[in-house]
Amino acid sequence: MSEQDAGPGDSVVVRVPVEPVDAVREADARDAVDRYSGLAVRGPLFGAAAQDAEGGRRWRVVVGVTHGCPQEARDALNSLLWFRAKDDAQSRQERRALLAAVARLETEPLDELTVLGARYRVVRAEEYAAVDSRGGIETPRPTDPEPLTLDWGPGARSARVDDGLVLDPDAPLSPLQAAERVALRPLAYSGIRFPAEVLADSAGAVQSHPDVLLMPAAFLITERSGDGEWSAGSSLHATAHDARRTLDFALTWMEPRTRGLIPYDADRTVDARNPPVGTTDEAAAELVELAKAADALRADRRDQVEVHGTVYRVTRSRRLLRWGPDGPEGPRSSDISTHAPAALHPRLDDDGTVHTDCLDDGTVHADGLADDGPVR
């Protein structure tokens, strides 16, 4: 097996953390291992990665690995290439190549294509979380990244999950990262709740993609009522602060409207901290409790609050990509999409002009170019 074809599982490069920040991060991870001894697997997430001709075995994430089904990731890749054609193409030939890729993604459930020398692939990651002996899910670690300034405003800009992330199977790892990577190589689904084809695909992936790559931690809100199980209450966020800000908004703005405490058509500035005139005493009491829980998040970077019988927790999500000789794993045959490929944007011509002419049923024309260009 040549060095180019060798899988990353043949060796793992371990670096000893000597810098103070690295050493603290490693100690933080060791504490987490002692506290959280089990794993809870949530299921697959999908995104897209690109490999340039000169990139070696490295791939760069171009669509965050946060989507719930393969077609959502294909749609996001469709949009990425369409906007590249609209805003970044340097020539008609380049725009034609990008639009040819878009045209195929509008009609085919493609998981891989090459355009303008870059190889694009829809990739599949397994999302999981660490749990303790009582079923508690891991919360953010002290060394997890946080913005320097904690902006709680509704218009605050959030970092994007996986923004600029390079997937490098040869990158050096800390000792605990290496141990986790090796320990998770045999991870596969088991149990009677999974259909036979899902179990077969999972076992087959261990053989076809024998190594794993650990992705940066992400964060989400999980919630639990009574003695029930934890369930996801938000999408993934790049930082714990972004997740807390989402929870703050949910408690003060969305929950009051969902519970009927504030009318949906009330002014956007009206929330649990600023209730509308005429609020009943009973509703006001519930709004006070919601506002207190949200204020606790802001006061001390709290990762868990309880209000009205529901526990809300900022949870540390982990993801792993299975990796084989040809790179990251794509969708499996048993992975299900919720919808079919479709046109997502108006027609864009070779000169970059957007045509917003509509069909009789109100949908937008998206007939792409007839020739395939350099797409395969």
Side-chain angles (χ1 to χ4, degrees):
M1 183 180 291
S2 68
E3 180 180 350
Q4 179 66 28
D5 294 334
D10 296 334
S11 63
V12 175
V13 180
V14 179
R15 56 173 173 77
V16 178
V18 294
E19 295 295 330
V21 173
D22 291 337
V24 172
R25 187 178 293 114
E26 186 75 353
D28 198 9
R30 190 179 303 113
D31 290 342
V33 170
D34 292 339
R35 181 176 178 184
Y36 300 97
S37 56
L39 296 180
V41 177
R42 184 182 174 198
L45 292 172
F46 302 88
Q51 184 185 45
D52 299 317
E54 68 280 2
R57 296 201 294 168
R58 293 185 298 274
W59 293 66
R60 53 188 172 85
V61 175
V62 294
V63 171
V65 188
T66 61
H67 298 276
C69 74
Q71 189 56 46
E72 289 181 358
R74 297 183 196 115
D75 290 345
L77 179 58
N78 179 331
S79 289
L80 175 76
L81 297 177
W82 189 89
F83 279 104
R84 276 190 60 191
K86 174 180 175 290
D87 300 328
D88 302 328
Q90 300 300 306
S91 66
R92 297 177 83 248
Q93 181 179 8
E94 186 173 314
R95 185 173 292 110
R96 186 178 296 115
L98 291 164
L99 291 176
V102 169
R104 293 191 63 191
L105 286 166
E106 290 176 343
T107 58
E108 303 176 55
L110 292 177
D111 292 328
E112 185 159 333
L113 72 164
T114 300
V115 57
L116 296 176
R119 183 184 183 192
Y120 293 88
R121 176 179 295 175
V122 175
V123 298
R124 180 190 199 277
E126 205 71 65
E127 185 186 12
Y128 63 101
V131 296
D132 60 26
S133 59
R134 296 176 295 177
I137 309 178
E138 184 180 14
T139 54
R141 299 174 184 176
T143 50
D144 284 329
E146 293 274 27
L148 294 177
T149 302
L150 301 183
D151 189 342
W152 292 93
R157 296 179 62 88
S158 299
R160 295 171 57 189
V161 177
D162 300 333
D163 190 24
L165 178 63
V166 174
L167 306 172
D168 185 357
D170 303 313
L173 305 173
S174 73
L176 281 175
Q177 287 174 332
E180 183 176 1
R181 176 166 156 179
V182 172
L184 290 175
R185 283 175 179 168
L187 179 68
Y189 295 158
S190 62
I192 60 174
R193 71 186 183 95
F194 293 102
E197 59 270 25
V198 173
L199 294 175
D201 276 354
S202 185
V206 176
Q207 303 302 317
S208 63
H209 296 77
D211 199 20
V212 299
L213 227 66
L214 304 179
M215 302 185 69
F219 306 88
L220 75 157
I221 304 303
T222 55
E223 52 190 64
R224 182 176 65 184
S225 298
D227 296 328
E229 296 183 351
W230 292 99
S231 61
S234 78
S235 58
L236 292 183
H237 298 276
T239 70
H241 174 68
D242 290 331
R244 292 188 196 101
R245 188 158 56 84
T246 294
L247 180 54
D248 178 273
F249 174 79
L251 293 175
T252 59
W253 199 94
M254 185 58 68
E255 276 293 304
R257 286 163 171 80
T258 302
R259 291 172 174 270
L261 306 174
I262 294 176
Y264 271 104
D265 58 358
D267 187 271
R268 288 190 59 85
T269 60
V270 173
D271 61 15
R273 295 187 177 98
N274 179 36
V277 176
T279 300
T280 65
D281 291 344
E282 183 179 357
E286 293 190 49
L287 291 173
V288 166
E289 292 303 311
L290 289 166
K292 283 183 178 179
D295 290 343
L297 290 171
R298 296 192 179 199
D300 54 10
R301 298 191 181 187
R302 189 172 302 185
D303 293 322
Q304 180 170 306
V305 294
E306 181 174 359
V307 59
H308 298 320
T310 299
V311 177
Y312 300 89
R313 174 176 288 191
V314 180
T315 297
R316 191 178 198 269
S317 170
R318 305 196 213 175
R319 296 164 295 158
L320 65 85
L321 280 163
R322 297 212 71 90
W323 201 278
D326 192 40
E329 182 187 15
R332 301 172 184 173
S333 59
S334 57
D335 290 326
I336 299 174
S337 286
T338 58
H339 59 285
L344 305 176
H345 300 285
R347 183 172 65 87
L348 183 67
D349 65 25
D350 287 9
D351 296 314
T353 302
V354 177
H355 298 268
T356 57
D357 43 331
C358 291
L359 300 173
D360 292 340
D361 62 0
T363 58
V364 176
H365 282 293
D367 45 315
L369 299 172
D371 65 286
D372 287 341
V375 181
R376 60 183 183 273

